[in-house]
Amino acid sequence: MAKEFDVVVIGAGPGGYIAAIRAAQLGKKVACVDAWVDLDGKPKPGGTCTNVGCIPSKALLQSSEHYEQAQMHFAEHGIEVGSIKLKLDTLLGRKNTVVDQNNQGIQFLFKKNKIEFIVGTAQFVGAENNRYKLSVSAGEKTIEIDAEHVIIATGSEPRALPDLPFDEKLVLSNAGALDIPAVPKKLGVIGAGVIGLELGSVWRRLGAEVTVLEAMPEFLAVADAQVAKEAKKVFAKQGLNIEVGAKVENVKVNDKSVTVTYKTAKDEEVSAEFDHLIVSIGRIPFTKGLNPEAVGLKLDQRGFIEVNEECQTNLPNVWAVGDVVRGPMLAHKAEEEGVAVAERIAGQHGHVNYNTIPSVLYTSPEIAWVGATEQQLKKDKREIKVGTFPFMANGRARALGDTTGFAKVIADKNTDEVLGVHIIGPMASELIAEAVTIMEFKGAAEDIARICHAHPTLSEAVKEAALAVDKRTLNL
Ligand code: FAD
Ligand code: NAI
């Protein structure tokens, strides 16, 4: 007999487990199926984000930042620590502990919300009487389940270069890049996107000589151009060697190294040997093992599950959220879609505002933005006013000893509505939340400027940038 549920969620990443919790809160009988287990078969719910994404990368960024601070900046504070030794095993072990804590936290949440957590790979078997039949296999064991609604949250996987599969020893995806057993002397990275810059920064701080090869002629083209320019300058000063306009022509995997041959932007051929090569050139949707054909579930040409703006697929009561559907591949976007879908299933009016999804790079300095860039708005011929304020003129940043970067507020010239906020500097990841709130309420630059911000805080830089929109900064 198949086990029956109101809602079956496939995938326990941020899209899936959050959708399961919200559906359970709304009174549905819910199961969440996830295939991720460790080498001992222990379940690891949380998806890419928890296991090989957001959480472990932030743990390594934090540890490596402490290491760099201790080496380069403690002395300015009058703290002498003698010789500093890196224990990479401990550092990686701490990262694994943080991941484990998150895996356990999600299992606790499943129990708390009376969600049945099923470990295994779910596949569609068929549909009958407006219900979907699925099977879940784990090793030799297979169980049948049956649901009125199915939410697919199967996520994404790293994109490999043609003819260069990941071996996770020399050629690394994000998973291998989070677990290099010894700090490489020379580390190559293909792709100067979010992973390349975050994980490139981690290994540079730990002592590797890092070269990042980026195909596009422009650095960080997705960000505001002024922010990207500042970022490139700062990363170069830190010693991250970024080559834009690099065309990778050949990658040879040797016994203990990888040789990459590429053409530079000036058309010069370069051959470089690295101890490891991280390939971070984007991610692709993951639907392997789902057997969409059994029910006629439609994928688009790029392999994403096709959905409308409400995350409905071509099949009634089958929904899809997160990295496996269009839109930015971000954990918080997946979560928002998961909540909205659960609410729609329960007859409510869940909504995701795709215009106010923040983007963050957890490098140092951090980079965060929400809304449109100046170059986009100019291209769209919007009349705008721009205000910027440097952290150099912010008291808290000076006290922290971290004055790199600036906050930038872009507002409509006539209505003063905030259209985009871009921050490069300390704690930009936290500062951006205020901008998201203001934009969600369709607020104006003057609203930010008139709100009382605590002193001394970094958030005063955002307020001053809003004042700068009207050319009336107080501290510059
Ligand atoms: P996933 O998290 O990929 O989860 C999908 C789950 O479905 C997996 O557990 C998988 O095992 C399971 N699954 C797949 N098929 C089946 C099946 N047939 N049956 C059962 N289970 C199945 N985003 C941010 O917002 N902030 C960050 O700081 C950030 N850092 C990142 C760092 C790295 C290195 C990487 C790689 C990504 C990062 N991301 C970050 C992106 C983020 O991880 C993803 O956007 C997010 O995990 C997507 O969530 P999801 O639920 O759609 O899918
Ligand atoms: P990405 O899309 O951020 O960057 C990929 C980069 O590789 C681009 O700059 C692209 O121009 C370049 N590229 C593509 N093909 C290339 C080639 N052949 N040679 C050289 N360069 C090439 O993808 P990335 O870094 O792999 O990350 C995947 C996803 O994971 C991102 O879309 C992001 O949403 C998510 N992520 C989010 C994080 C965050 O929110 N802080 C952190 C890490 C990942």
Side-chain angles (χ1 to χ4, degrees):
M1 256 301 268
K3 277 191 169 184
E4 292 186 357
F5 297 95
D6 299 326
V7 181
V8 165
V9 184
I10 307 176
Y17 90 80
I18 289 291
I21 291 174
R22 187 71 188 118
Q25 284 176 344
L26 293 167
K28 300 291 175 190
K29 187 180 175 202
V30 183
C32 186
V33 188
D34 196 280
W36 207 307
V37 291
D38 69 9
L39 292 172
D40 302 324
K42 194 174 82 180
K44 305 277 286 174
T48 302
C49 172
T50 302
N51 292 303
V52 290
C54 327
I55 301 299
S57 60
K58 266 80 258 178
L60 293 188
L61 279 155
Q62 190 61 53
S63 299
S64 59
E65 177 74 11
H66 283 324
Y67 182 60
E68 191 164 74
Q69 286 287 329
Q71 279 184 315
M72 322 239 310
H73 301 293
F74 276 14
E76 296 157 23
H77 295 264
I79 304 167
E80 273 189 28
V81 284
S83 73
I84 294 162
K85 198 170 156 203
L86 176 69
K87 291 179 95 179
L88 187 62
D89 283 0
T90 310
L91 189 152
L92 296 177
R94 174 188 176 273
K95 178 256 305 172
N96 294 341
T97 306
V98 173
V99 168
D100 260 354
Q101 287 164 344
N102 281 272
N103 296 138
Q104 283 165 29
I106 294 167
Q107 294 185 67
F108 164 79
L109 292 171
F110 282 151
K111 280 206 189 90
K112 180 183 164 207
N113 289 283
K114 299 189 176 49
I115 294 161
E116 183 152 342
F117 174 40
I118 305 174
V119 181
T121 302
Q123 67 165 324
F124 282 104
V125 175
E128 226 173 72
N129 305 326
N130 296 325
R131 294 185 69 85
Y132 292 91
K133 301 215 169 301
L134 299 121
S135 70
V136 181
S137 336
E140 307 280 284
K141 250 177 71 188
T142 299
I143 62 164
E144 305 293 323
I145 53 178
D146 169 302
E148 184 185 353
H149 289 268
V150 179
I151 304 175
I152 303 166
T154 50
S156 61
E157 61 178 333
R159 186 153 76 88
L161 277 171
D163 304 320
L164 187 69
F166 298 110
D167 60 23
E168 303 300 3
K169 288 194 168 54
L170 293 171
V171 181
L172 313 174
S173 74
N174 55 296
L178 290 160
D179 252 327
I180 306 179
V183 177
K185 276 205 174 65
K186 288 190 173 204
L187 176 68
V189 180
I190 302 188
V194 205
I195 295 180
L197 293 172
E198 288 189 358
L199 294 179
S201 295
V202 165
W203 292 105
R204 181 201 58 73
R205 289 172 195 165
L206 297 179
E209 187 187 317
V210 180
T211 302
V212 188
L213 304 175
E214 167 59 45
M216 299 285 281
E218 240 176 282
F219 175 65
L220 213 55
V222 287
D224 185 88
Q226 202 179 341
V227 167
K229 192 173 162 206
E230 176 78 3
K232 186 148 188 266
K233 195 177 80 193
V234 179
F235 293 149
K237 207 167 143 206
Q238 291 171 351
L240 201 62
N241 173 25
I242 301 168
E243 285 255 8
V244 291
K247 288 199 177 52
V248 174
E249 297 190 318
N250 186 44
V251 180
K252 188 165 168 277
V253 182
N254 316 310
D255 274 357
K256 290 188 175 163
S257 66
V258 183
T259 309
V260 181
T261 308
Y262 62 95
K263 276 246 170 84
T264 67
K266 289 183 184 148
D267 219 28
E268 288 155 2
E269 194 170 275
V270 176
S271 206
E273 193 175 341
F274 301 110
D275 301 315
H276 300 275
L277 180 71
I278 300 175
V279 179
S280 48
I281 54 168
R283 297 180 62 84
I284 51 175
F286 184 82
T287 52
K288 283 180 201 142
L290 193 60
N291 197 19
E293 302 81 17
V295 284
L297 177 69
K298 224 166 137 185
L299 309 188
D300 71 15
Q301 280 175 340
R302 292 156 65 212
F304 289 95
I305 295 178
E306 213 171 87
V307 287
N308 63 13
E309 63 283 17
E310 302 222 305
C311 293
Q312 285 170 314
T313 68
N314 65 312
L315 302 173
N317 296 349
V318 177
W319 313 73
V321 300
D323 281 11
V324 79
V325 303
R326 81 297 171 254
M329 287 185 168
L330 295 171
H332 42 282
K333 175 262 193 183
E335 292 182 13
E336 292 304 315
E337 288 183 335
V339 167
V341 163
E343 292 180 347
R344 285 169 197 140
I345 287 174
Q348 298 186 353
H349 300 280
H351 177 68
V352 180
N353 184 353
Y354 289 94
N355 295 321
T356 53
I357 296 174
S359 298
V360 179
L361 270 74
Y362 296 81
T363 45
S364 180
E366 290 187 343
I367 299 170
W369 70 88
V370 58
T373 59
E374 187 175 345
Q375 66 265 26
Q376 276 164 353
L377 291 164
K378 283 193 170 147
K379 200 168 141 227
D380 295 346
K381 304 218 167 12
R382 287 286 297 257
E383 289 193 304
I384 54 171
K385 303 180 282 186
V386 178
T388 56
F389 188 82
F391 284 103
M392 187 68 88
N394 175 274
R396 185 67 188 281
R398 279 195 221 115
L400 286 174
D402 190 355
T403 51
T404 320
F406 55 84
K408 170 170 179 175
V409 173
I410 311 175
D412 184 278
K413 191 174 176 192
N414 303 308
T415 65
D416 198 37
E417 183 184 341
V418 176
L419 303 175
V421 175
H422 305 268
I423 305 170
I424 173 166
M427 302 307 279
S429 58
E430 301 292 339
L431 297 176
I432 203 65
E434 175 184 15
V436 175
T437 310
I438 288 285
M439 285 186 63
E440 192 63 48
F441 284 96
K442 294 211 165 288
E446 175 138 14
D447 290 323
I448 304 179
R450 288 200 179 273
I451 291 170
C452 180
H453 290 65
H455 177 75
T457 59
L458 298 168
S459 70
E460 287 172 293
V462 179
K463 176 185 171 125
E464 289 275 7
L467 281 164
V469 164
D470 212 17
K471 298 193 175 43
R472 55 189 183 99
T473 51
L474 296 165
N475 283 287
L476 193 70

